[in-house]
Each structure stands twice: as C-alpha cells, then as structure tokens.
Amino acid sequence: MEIINWKDLLYPYRQTVDELLVKLRNLDAEYRYLGIYSPIDSVTGRVKSTASIMDKAGRKKIPPEKIEELMEDIAGIRILCQFTEDIPKIIAMIRSRRDMKVIEERDYITNRKASGYRSYHIIIRYPLQTALGYREVPAEIQIRTNAMNFWATAEHSLRYKYSGNIPQELQERLTNCAEAAFRLDREMATIREEITNAQRLNEIKDNLVSNILQNIHNLYFGAKLENMEKINREFIDLWNQNDVEKLKEFNERLNMMAEVYRV
Ligand code: 0O2
C-alpha cells in the first residue's frame, strides 16, 4: 500500500487557502475603503486535517491515490455575512471572478439538509503558480450568515463528539436551534436597512474623526499654528453635538487651512 507524503500533498492546498484569504479579505477592505456596503462580514480558511481527510476518504470509499482527484474540500474557505440577502451578492461576485473557475454549486439554503444545516457551497478550481509549475487546485467556498454558522459550528462539534450518532433528545434540541437560527435570519432581514445605514454612518463618522485629528496634528506640529487650542475646543464641541454634517463642514475648513499652510 502506498504511503502518502502528507506534507507534500497538503502544501499546495495551504498556498491556495492563503492566497484566497488575502484576495477575499482585500476585496472586503476595498468595499469599505470605497464606502460601498460590503456583503462580506468575515472570511476564514483552513486546510482539512489529515484525520478528517482519512475519515472522509473512508466514508466515501476514496482510495488514497484518488484523494487529490476526488476530494474537493481539502482547501476550504468560509465567507460569513450578516444577512441572508448578502449571500446572492457574494455568489455573483465569485462567479464573475477571473481568477477562479466555478465547477459546482450546492444550495443547502433553498434545500436545507435533513440535519438542519444551511449554507451555500461553491466548488472552484484555483489556478496556482507553484515553484514546480502551474496547477489547478480544488477548493470549497462555504457562504453562510453568522446565524447559520453559529448553528453549524455547534452541530459539527456534537457530531464529531458522538461520531455522527447524536442522541435523540439532543438531536431534537439541535433541530429547534436550527429553526431559531432560521427565524433570527428572517427577523434580521426586516431591520436590515436600519442596521446597514447605522453601520455606514458609524464608518463615515470614524473616518471623519480620524481625518480631523490628522489635520489638527499637521496644523499644530507641521505648520506650528498657535490658535489650535480654539480649533481643538471647537472640535470637542462638535463631537459632543454628534452632528455628522457639522463635522464634515469643520473638516472641510481644516482641509482648506492645511492646503494654505501646505501641511
Ligand atoms: P469539515 O471538518 O468541515 O471539513 P458530506 O461529507 O457527504 O456531508 P460532501 O459531499 O463532501 O459532504 O459535500 P458537502 O455536502 O458540500 O459538505 C461538505 C462540508 O459541508 C462538510 O465538511 C461540512 O463542513 C459542511 N456540512 C455539510 N453538511 C453538514 C451538516 O449537516 N452539519 C454541519 N455542521 N456541517 C455540514 P466535512 O467533511 O463534514 O468536515
């Protein structure tokens, strides 16, 4: 029987996960930088553990020499979002990318699994440039809301603990929890606009305050302006009023001063 060199086998999957994490996190950061709503809340990734690969190979009767060819989720990415409505946006974004090829999609949101599991899976081939040349590495991208993830993570731990045979009473409670997570997603959808508007406003306020403080710093330490105490007091006043429009006007005034003094 062939002995598997696990280190060599898993290396390209590690590279794939690392590259996908950088790309998807940068995408999320860019949305925020541009002030556009980001459907992504967070992105995580993992390379399947050898124990889990062997376990799955056993369950699916995959011989060791066929693992690379047939196991599609050795490289795994998980994209979490706040609202169910974010999921189609993320799917569209992945379908339109030129640096990954979508091979298959599994919609466990429309067709929830018997366990109660909800998530959207996309199997891709990722073009990887390795030191040994080009290859396409399969990866599974799971897209789900935070509520779906909360449930799936808990259920996964229990399934692992009980080797798949979760006691009946616990299984019933898990089913109730899955239903509660579903209701939570539905309720959150009804106040989605309120939440996203508040988040956008908070982000705008954070950026404004950081610009204002940078301007005050530059004018005081760079241009050595002496009347900065008055300006500082004005800022604290406006901050206490919590009025974004007034803060915007104030920052524009500081921008002009910074231009005049070339700082
Ligand atoms: P891990 O530890 O997450 O890597 P199968 O293994 O037959 O269920 P298949 O055909 O390989 O699934 O693909 P599928 O259905 O897309 O599921 C693969 C992954 O989805 C699983 O990986 C889980 O991460 C997740 N998943 C699928 N069904 C369930 C479920 O009922 N509950 C939870 N919590 N997660 C699920 P692995 O291999 O189980 O393990």
Side-chain angles (χ1 to χ4, degrees):
M1 196 174 125
E2 193 189 336
I3 305 273
I4 298 178
N5 181 337
W6 286 105
K7 251 176 133 179
D8 284 2
L9 184 131
L10 295 182
Y11 198 80
Y13 294 98
R14 180 75 265 158
Q15 286 173 290
T16 299
V17 169
D18 286 349
E19 289 188 18
L20 285 170
L21 279 178
V22 167
K23 288 182 175 190
L24 293 166
R25 284 178 179 158
N26 276 347
L27 182 74
D28 175 36
E30 193 189 356
Y31 273 120
R32 290 168 204 272
Y33 168 74
L34 293 171
I36 302 172
Y37 173 76
S38 173
I40 298 173
D41 192 46
S42 63
V43 188
T44 55
R46 63 98 184 93
V47 174
K48 211 176 181 67
S49 68
T50 42
S52 182
I53 294 174
M54 283 168 56
D55 181 49
K56 189 163 185 168
R59 261 193 296 125
K60 303 220 156 199
K61 311 222 175 327
I62 301 174
E65 67 279 8
K66 291 265 184 190
I67 285 176
E68 279 181 280
E69 188 191 329
L70 298 178
M71 208 173 284
E72 291 164 321
D73 66 343
I74 296 179
I77 294 289
R78 192 167 288 160
I79 304 179
L80 300 187
C81 50
Q82 299 190 93
F83 307 102
T84 316
E85 285 83 348
D86 295 329
I87 295 175
K89 292 179 195 144
I90 298 171
I91 297 168
M93 181 266 292
I94 289 171
R95 285 183 189 148
S96 71
R97 286 189 77 108
R98 293 182 178 190
D99 55 353
M100 48 189 86
K101 209 188 296 170
V102 173
I103 299 298
E104 200 187 322
E105 298 186 20
R106 295 178 196 145
D107 182 356
Y108 299 128
I109 293 176
T110 315
N111 310 301
R112 165 186 337 193
K113 280 199 170 185
S115 61
Y117 180 72
R118 287 184 305 139
S119 188
Y120 198 95
H121 294 189
I122 301 183
I123 309 293
I124 60 157
R125 293 270 180 281
Y126 181 73
L128 186 71
Q129 304 289 341
T130 74
L132 303 174
Y134 175 84
R135 64 179 281 188
E136 289 186 1
V137 182
E140 181 180 78
I141 303 180
Q142 300 182 340
I143 307 161
R144 44 171 96 146
T145 62
N146 289 319
M148 294 174 193
N149 189 52
F150 185 34
W151 181 89
T153 311
E155 195 261 2
H156 190 274
S157 312
L158 289 173
R159 205 153 36 89
Y160 188 70
K161 177 180 170 190
Y162 291 103
S163 312
N165 301 310
I166 300 176
Q168 177 70 18
E169 201 231 9
L170 196 52
Q171 183 57 58
E172 275 163 24
R173 284 181 194 218
L174 265 175
T175 307
N176 292 342
C177 291
E179 197 44 50
F182 174 71
R183 280 201 308 274
L184 176 62
D185 274 334
R186 223 179 30 197
E187 285 299 311
M188 291 299 276
T190 64
I191 48 168
R192 179 172 151 263
E193 226 173 274
E194 289 273 351
I195 299 170
T196 50
N197 283 345
Q199 286 169 341
R200 242 196 46 231
L201 199 69
N202 290 343
E203 242 166 71
I204 291 173
K205 225 165 76 188
D206 279 358
N207 286 340
L208 253 181
V209 168
S210 131
N211 284 346
I212 290 172
L213 290 176
Q214 188 62 52
N215 269 330
I216 291 178
H217 176 99
N218 291 347
L219 289 166
Y220 186 71
F221 292 102
K224 310 258 184 258
L225 286 194
E226 280 170 9
N227 61 344
M228 289 310 289
E229 243 176 66
K230 194 171 147 249
I231 288 180
N232 212 20
R233 243 180 287 123
E234 193 180 341
F235 165 57
I236 291 169
D237 248 16
L238 291 175
W239 169 254
N240 286 334
Q241 287 175 38
N242 198 18
D243 185 329
V244 174
E245 284 313 311
K246 281 189 187 161
L247 280 170
K248 261 190 204 161
E249 282 165 24
F250 179 66
N251 188 42
E252 271 157 28
R253 239 192 309 137
L254 291 182
N255 278 340
M256 278 195 298
M257 283 172 73
E259 224 167 272
V260 170
Y261 291 98
R262 294 175 188 280
V263 288

